Amino acid sequence: MQNGELQAFERIPVEIYPDATKAVATVAAEIATAIRERQAAGRDFVLGLATGSTPVPLYKELIRLHREDGLSFSNVITFNLDEYFPIGHEHPESYHRFMKEQLFDYIDIPEERIHVPSGEVGRDDVFAACQAYEEAIAAAGGIDMQILGIGRTGHIGFNEPGSGMRSRTRLVTLDRLTKLDAARDFLGEHNVPRYAVTMGVGTIMDARSLVLLAWGRSKAEVIKQAVEGEPRDSLPASFLQAHPSARFVLDEASASELTRNRQPWRVGFPDWTPELSRKAIAELSLSLDKPLLKLVDKDYQENGLSELVTEQGPAYGLNIRIFNELQHTITGWPGGKPDADDTYRPERAQPARKRVLVLSPEPQDDVLAMAGTLSRLAAHGHDITVAYQTSGSLGVPDEEARWAAELIVEASRGEEAVLAKRVLLELDEKGAFDQDTKQLREFKAYIRRNEARAALQRCGVDLSCIRFLDLPFYENGRYRQFQVGEADVSELEKLLRRSMPHQVYATGSDADPSSVSAKGFEVFRCALERLRGEAWVEDCYVWLYRSDGREWAAHQTEMSVPCSPDELKIKAQAIYQHRSQRSQVPVLDEEQTEAWEQAIARNRQTATTYDRFGLAEYEAIECFVRWRP
Ligand code: F6R
């Protein structure tokens, strides 16, 4: 839909697919065609590559085309965008290793045709190495197609905000947000290299065609900026707008903030579904800073909603309808209010005592999003099971493990603490970047289990209800390389069969597809699919929560659970129990950097929004959306 109105907003061609798998199928097919055309002409194809989570599904598809479709890469020359600096090629997080593990080891590309900037050269030689990289690109005839991802700072390659349009391959300092994003991979922010070598914006712009890929809700804001905002230094991806053959290939979640999705009435004549009118009217109320019930026809007409008010108005009727819809989402009874008329309530009144299953991809996701709701469910006597799908061991910094191990050794007076002593030995022997041994991961998992228990205790949840599933996809994997398998799905299937819940709380439906949350959701979805047809499944409500820092918008929310000031305190305490997840280095100059601060601020923000609509004024609100597969 590249119509005139759309072009008024979007400054670069955008393609949107239902999910990343469908998107990469198109891009991979295009690459395959180009490679084959060049093969037929006896020429090379020069492909620019990226690392990170985003291109992983693309590389999987290229490997599949090689294996199943006979696509040969023998005439392909590759140039990667960037590499951390300094870093050894064998370092588990180096992009050299990443590319081998994700692509090169599985295709027939000759080694001498692969180029990745080196993080191994001496500091004094970086400049020359960068120049040589540029020369190698030129010698190959320039890049035919460059694949790009986008960072939350708007970076492309490692061209952080401030990078000039004409910058070339060079050494750069990494942005704080980029380092935070990489902290998990490097097992702590302090392990992330401070620098990187990256192709410049100018180098990237020289490619004959550019394809920027983005998946997941976490990229939605930056995608909007890059597609619809003015080109500017503070958002390097926006420079791509000036390229004659650049396009963005997105999944629905990363495209969700674009005007065509957020405010489709501004780019055409949309189908005014109940959800869309709710969205439009909620936005109108907030943008005019007027409670819903005070909006008048003129407000609609002056703000691009004439069609809506003409078709479905007058304003007063529309206002009341939306007011009631939002009002009906609010409930202090997330498990349903016994003996109440539930016609307009999010949950059913019966059975009064429900079997509730809370799925938390990693420990802490549960309390971040729904500690208040959990407290209420517990207080209302529901039969709760909280299942941690993964151990979360990868998220525990070595320092935390050392702290705990030393404590155990001292407390046992050096006598029996066999595991703890072995852990300390391993920590001494292990380099900061080395992968954890099985034993160390196990020990780190204990830390997270302990934190999870302490957190649930704060919420008043009976601790015997906790299940640690330690799903194999996580235990045997690393970040970005998780592969869901039969063992994962059957484990969850067993749990579902055993607990036969009336309600499931889950997350990850629109997360980055390679994230732990997305994998956790995939496992749940597949397991539930197998059980379809069983009576309890048909009767089960699945409530989606978000723990990734982005709450559901008011127009999407189907259940809003208020928290009192006291409940909010409990929530903060619950999250605070996840000690290993607090920042390792105190940050004094920034506000709300800790997970608990952010979660509380978000829930308060939601309450403020409801208040601005003219609904009741609460301290905080947690939001849920019903999943209807
Ligand atoms: C990596 C690169 C970066 C990433 C960006 C997004 O080679 O150039 O610009 O594309 O940081 O990272 P992910 O894909 O992990 O979200």
Side-chain angles (χ1 to χ4, degrees):
M1 105 162 156
Q2 197 61 294
N3 63 24
E5 281 110 330
L6 201 53
Q7 274 164 5
F9 290 95
E10 297 183 5
R11 297 156 174 258
I12 194 162
V14 170
E15 288 169 22
I16 303 172
Y17 294 86
D19 55 44
T21 313
K22 297 205 173 67
V24 298
T26 315
V27 178
E30 201 177 307
I31 294 174
T33 306
I35 293 176
R36 285 189 173 118
E37 276 172 13
R38 292 288 171 89
Q39 258 157 17
R43 290 176 55 207
D44 290 331
F45 182 68
V46 185
L47 184 58
L49 297 173
T51 52
S53 308
T54 309
V56 171
L58 174 67
Y59 298 156
K60 276 209 185 93
E61 178 61 8
L62 289 175
I63 294 169
R64 191 193 69 75
L65 290 174
H66 171 65
R67 287 193 177 147
E68 295 174 18
D69 242 21
L71 176 66
S72 170
F73 290 78
S74 57
N75 68 323
V76 175
I77 300 178
T78 64
F79 286 92
N80 263 81
L81 281 166
D82 44 15
E83 174 61 291
Y84 291 107
F85 186 91
I87 201 166
H89 293 181
E90 286 312 310
H91 186 293
E93 291 308 322
S94 88
Y95 287 167
H96 278 80
R97 182 142 166 204
F98 176 95
M99 287 309 301
K100 276 165 72 72
E101 289 175 351
Q102 297 294 332
L103 182 65
F104 298 148
D105 281 354
Y106 306 97
I107 56 175
D108 63 340
I109 183 165
E111 181 133 9
E112 65 280 7
R113 291 175 155 251
I114 294 172
H115 304 81
V116 182
S118 178
E120 279 188 347
V121 295
R123 185 69 196 251
D124 293 341
D125 301 323
V126 184
F127 183 71
C130 291
Q131 251 179 341
Y133 203 70
E134 291 272 339
E135 282 158 17
I137 296 175
I143 294 171
D144 289 307
M145 183 196 270
Q146 175 69 53
I147 303 297
L148 297 164
I150 182 168
R152 282 198 295 154
T153 57
H155 72 211
I156 43 174
F158 273 133
N159 293 286
E160 299 288 11
S163 301
M165 170 95 167
R166 276 193 266 282
S167 52
R168 311 299 306 184
T169 305
R170 68 202 188 288
L171 186 71
V172 293
T173 308
L174 295 183
D175 195 279
R176 169 96 209 285
L177 196 54
T178 302
K179 286 178 77 181
L180 272 182
D181 283 346
R184 287 209 127 188
D185 301 341
F186 280 90
L187 305 171
E189 191 190 339
H190 52 290
N191 287 332
V192 181
R194 287 175 58 194
Y195 306 101
V197 175
T198 180
M199 280 187 200
V201 179
T203 323
I204 293 170
M205 295 292 279
D206 284 348
R208 280 181 276 283
S209 74
L210 300 172
V211 180
L212 184 142
L213 311 173
W215 330 125
R217 183 70 187 74
S218 64
K219 296 285 169 72
E221 276 84 17
V222 78
I223 287 292
K224 180 187 167 72
Q225 295 296 323
V227 172
E228 300 187 2
E230 293 278 339
R232 55 191 188 275
D233 285 8
S234 57
L235 200 108
S238 62
F239 288 136
L240 303 180
Q241 295 170 8
H243 194 282
S245 179
R247 68 191 214 271
F248 281 27
V249 173
L250 311 174
D251 68 351
E252 280 173 3
S254 68
S256 59
E257 285 294 312
L258 294 178
T259 303
R260 67 159 105 185
N261 290 322
R262 244 198 99 96
Q263 300 173 315
W265 55 91
R266 296 180 67 190
V267 296
F269 296 96
D271 177 14
W272 283 107
T273 60
E275 188 185 344
L276 190 60
S277 351
R278 201 155 59 232
K279 181 188 222 177
I281 298 167
E283 275 192 20
L284 183 66
S285 152
L286 295 178
S287 66
L288 299 180
D289 210 8
K290 252 186 173 188
L292 288 165
L293 297 180
K294 289 190 177 173
L295 294 170
V296 292
D297 284 45
K298 195 158 151 273
D299 295 325
Y300 282 76
Q301 283 148 3
E302 287 177 354
N303 290 280
L305 296 176
S306 303
E307 197 206 2
L308 175 62
V309 80
T310 313
E311 270 185 19
Q312 301 185 21
Y316 192 67
L318 271 171
N319 298 346
I320 295 232
R321 196 181 92 206
I322 304 308
F323 181 90
N324 284 336
E325 283 174 13
L326 293 176
Q327 173 77 38
H328 291 150
T329 67
I330 303 174
T331 180
W333 298 83
K337 186 170 186 181
D339 306 323
D341 174 5
D342 57 9
T343 319
Y344 296 112
R345 290 179 173 275
E347 251 303 346
R348 302 144 296 174
Q350 294 303 326
R353 183 164 186 258
K354 291 195 173 55
R355 288 185 299 271
V356 177
L357 174 63
V358 177
L359 291 176
S360 186
E362 287 182 73
Q364 197 186 23
D365 286 319
D366 53 345
V367 284
L368 276 178
M370 54 177 290
T373 303
L374 262 167
S375 305
R376 291 212 168 198
L377 289 165
H380 295 160
H382 295 289
D383 175 5
I384 306 172
T385 303
V386 180
Y388 296 99
Q389 292 177 281
T390 71
S391 68
S393 60
L394 290 169
V396 178
D398 287 351
E399 290 83 346
E400 275 306 301
R402 185 180 294 282
W403 183 89
E406 278 170 353
L407 180 72
I408 296 171
V409 170
E410 186 174 3
S412 62
R413 302 204 167 80
E415 288 298 307
E416 283 152 16
V418 188
L419 176 62
K421 280 184 185 167
R422 223 177 290 152
V423 162
L424 285 176
L425 255 171
E426 278 176 22
L427 285 169
D428 287 339
E429 283 167 9
K430 171 180 179 265
F433 299 137
D434 292 349
Q435 280 191 44
D436 293 352
T437 58
K438 197 162 181 294
Q439 210 149 27
L440 186 48
R441 275 187 77 163
E442 203 178 296
F443 189 73
K444 289 182 170 180
Y446 291 145
I447 293 180
R448 297 214 68 180
R449 284 185 181 203
N450 228 27
E451 292 169 347
R453 283 193 205 99
L456 284 187
Q457 204 159 23
R458 292 293 183 290
C459 301
V461 173
D462 174 5
L463 297 191
S464 65
C465 79
I466 305 181
R467 302 281 173 276
F468 294 102
L469 302 184
D470 294 341
L471 291 180
F473 85 80
Y474 185 90
E475 293 313 308
N476 306 325
R478 305 174 40 79
Y479 286 118
R480 300 206 177 92
Q481 300 177 26
F482 300 123
Q483 297 262 20
V484 166
E486 169 57 31
D488 301 299
V489 178
S490 60
E491 187 65 28
L492 206 77
E493 189 186 342
K494 257 191 279 165
L495 174 72
L496 287 168
R497 255 187 219 291
R498 231 181 298 128
S499 45
M500 294 199 289
H502 299 102
Q503 276 196 326
V504 176
Y505 291 86
T507 190
S509 58
D510 60 356
D512 172 340
S514 64
S515 65
V516 179
S517 306
K519 295 293 178 201
F521 191 76
E522 186 184 336
V523 172
F524 164 62
R525 191 175 44 75
C526 296
L528 196 65
E529 192 50 47
R530 290 187 184 174
L531 299 166
R532 250 228 191 275
E534 298 202 10
W536 69 266
V537 178
E538 306 311 313
D539 196 35
C540 175
Y541 278 23
V542 177
W543 290 105
L544 298 175
Y545 64 89
R546 275 204 180 137
S547 60
D548 62 356
R550 285 160 197 82
E551 189 55 283
W552 297 109
H555 72 270
Q556 298 172 304
T557 300
E558 292 173 82
M559 178 159 73
S560 320
V561 182
C563 301
S564 69
D566 285 341
E567 285 168 327
L568 201 61
K569 263 188 219 150
I570 290 174
K571 173 165 185 165
Q573 286 171 19
I575 302 171
Y576 199 71
Q577 301 310 309
H578 290 272
R579 183 197 140 98
S580 68
Q581 303 306 295
R582 296 187 220 150
S583 18
Q584 299 297 301
V585 206
V587 184
L588 303 176
D589 53 354
E590 281 170 54
E591 282 175 18
Q592 298 173 350
T593 50
E594 297 290 344
W596 63 272
E597 292 173 310
Q598 289 172 1
I600 299 302
R602 203 158 48 242
N603 296 150
R604 282 202 169 119
Q605 177 60 45
T606 307
T608 307
T609 305
Y610 279 50
D611 180 29
R612 289 175 63 199
F613 288 141
L615 295 158
E617 188 179 347
Y618 293 101
E619 174 70 10
I621 292 179
E622 294 176 340
C623 299
F624 303 89
V625 166
R626 243 188 92 189
W627 185 56
R628 300 173 175 85

